[in-house]
Amino acid sequence: MSDHNQNNNRDAYISYLAGRLLLRKFVCERIAVPWSEIQLARSPRGKPYLVLPEVGRLLLRKFVCERIAVPWSEIQLARSPRGKPYLVLPEATTTHTPPLSREAQRWSFNISHQGEYAVLAAEQGLQVGVDVMKTTMPGSSSVSQFFRIMTRQFTEYEWSVIQSSGSERQQLAAFYRHWALKESFIKAIGTGLGFNLQRAEFHLSPQPVTEEQGQHRTMMHLDEEEEHSWRFEECLLDADHHVAVALGLHSPPPAGQPRCPSPPPPTAFTHLTFGDLIAQATPLSEEDPAYWDGFQSKGEAPQRQSSRAPSE
């Protein structure tokens, strides 16, 4: 391959990441990168590269750099044994970075990518979990067969809500809405696959969730008891992508104390450029031509739908 073509492909790879971010700022952060706006680059076979996991990592670094004030080159991210990302605090004795303030250390964050989006949610002083789900038709079975396979994932009450939602498409949308809520809670507490999903039953808000208006009235019943230490924010990124954010106290409030803090009024998402995503980025290592050649030679993974449980 000529140097000219190789440079064009590298530029295309960067352009492939170049999308608009959806950012909502108050005391928390909500960021989403849409696949539909970043699939600009094409492989030699004419198919887009899959980079949503990489976008998720960039989102984490952007957040830590700008909101927690850790220089890009000193950010160390790790995952708990159950897979939840966390910030490895810098050592003030070995870097030029001062110790993080108590306020900075109170940030929690979580990422998710599914369908056509990568998303990040973060908040101070609360446990945070986020999940994005795309409403899709089952690839190898009917909707009714798909629901039968997933029977044990929801309570009888939740199934009654899902199956009374209207058309098959509306039922699937209700299914994925419930799934996103459950996943956001599991990711917030870091429990993983060992959690019995029927323990958490969701009672949806009567208010509709739209692209223009999110809501936070959905309630969770944990082990058949209404849970007041958690709140759930829901929104649509587009007609097919539902996002749920779980926000929970680290410990139940004492008797007579306020429940989980009330969220601020819903705000619109703001569009940012890819340049904003990497505005403070710095190279973490020297460029390795062999790594790029290996990336170029990768085959396209087949896209396959199945009736297995949805996942991030």
Side-chain angles (χ1 to χ4, degrees):
M1 179 182 295
S2 70
D3 290 341
H4 175 74
N5 287 338
Q6 187 175 32
N7 288 335
N8 281 346
N9 277 343
R10 293 189 186 204
D11 290 342
Y13 175 65
I14 296 300
S15 296
Y16 179 54
L17 294 174
R20 289 181 297 176
L21 300 180
L22 302 176
L23 176 62
R24 188 164 48 140
K25 290 186 177 180
F26 22 88
V27 296
C28 57
E29 297 278 346
R30 302 287 184 269
I31 306 175
V33 180
W35 172 268
S36 59
E37 296 179 0
I38 63 177
Q39 56 176 9
L40 304 178
R42 298 285 167 172
S43 70
R45 301 171 184 80
K47 297 180 179 180
Y49 294 116
L50 177 62
V51 296
L52 284 182
E54 286 78 5
V55 171
R57 285 187 279 272
L58 285 175
L59 288 176
L60 280 175
R61 286 187 167 273
K62 171 185 170 64
F63 167 75
V64 171
C65 184
E66 296 185 3
R67 298 293 284 177
I68 306 184
V70 178
W72 189 280
S73 61
E74 297 183 14
I75 294 172
Q76 297 184 57
L77 296 168
R79 288 185 178 272
S80 70
R82 299 286 176 89
K84 190 171 184 179
Y86 66 92
L87 174 65
V88 179
L89 300 181
E91 295 288 345
T93 57
T94 59
T95 72
H96 297 294
T97 304
L100 292 181
S101 66
R102 184 179 298 274
E103 180 178 323
Q105 294 181 41
R106 293 178 67 243
W107 279 103
S108 297
F109 48 81
N110 198 231
I111 59 173
S112 176
H113 53 83
Q114 204 272 340
E116 299 174 7
Y117 284 85
V119 299
L120 177 147
E123 186 106 13
Q124 286 183 307
L126 297 173
Q127 299 181 80
V128 178
V130 62
D131 197 66
V132 56
M133 292 302 304
K134 181 180 181 180
T135 300
T136 56
M137 297 295 290
S140 59
S141 63
S142 67
V143 172
S144 59
Q145 290 173 325
F146 176 65
F147 284 172
R148 279 197 294 273
I149 294 171
M150 304 299 295
T151 297
R152 298 179 63 183
Q153 311 305 325
F154 299 97
T155 67
E156 290 185 10
Y157 169 78
E158 289 172 326
W159 276 120
S160 69
V161 173
I162 292 170
Q163 295 178 309
S164 64
S165 298
S167 67
E168 284 192 341
R169 182 74 180 183
Q170 291 170 321
Q171 291 180 41
L172 282 169
F175 171 91
Y176 285 111
R177 179 180 176 182
H178 280 81
W179 191 271
L181 286 162
K182 287 178 184 280
E183 285 286 333
S184 69
F185 174 65
I186 291 172
K187 293 176 69 179
I189 61 177
T191 300
L193 297 177
F195 185 85
N196 179 358
L197 292 178
Q198 290 197 6
R199 290 182 58 196
E201 179 180 271
F202 286 90
H203 293 238
L204 303 183
S205 166
Q207 300 172 338
V209 180
T210 68
E211 295 177 54
E212 293 76 25
Q213 184 68 50
Q215 64 86 22
H216 49 80
R217 304 296 183 188
T218 288
M219 293 296 298
M220 178 179 69
H221 290 209
L222 185 61
D223 296 328
E224 300 184 353
E225 296 289 335
E226 187 172 319
E227 180 57 59
H228 299 298
S229 299
W230 289 85
R231 74 170 187 255
F232 294 85
E233 295 182 359
E234 299 180 85
C235 68
L236 290 177
L237 297 178
D238 59 27
D240 295 325
H241 290 81
H242 187 96
V243 176
V245 179
L247 302 168
L249 298 174
H250 288 281
S251 59
Q257 294 297 311
R259 301 174 179 180
C260 193
S262 298
T267 59
F269 283 93
T270 301
H271 290 77
L272 304 177
T273 66
F274 176 70
D276 294 316
L277 177 62
I278 60 170
Q280 299 188 47
T282 57
L284 301 179
S285 61
E286 295 294 328
E287 182 178 355
D288 183 355
Y291 183 87
W292 171 250
D293 293 339
F295 175 82
Q296 287 269 81
S297 65
K298 284 184 178 180
E300 193 76 23
Q303 298 297 308
R304 179 175 59 187
Q305 289 184 312
S306 73
S307 56
R308 295 178 61 188
S311 61
E312 178 182 291

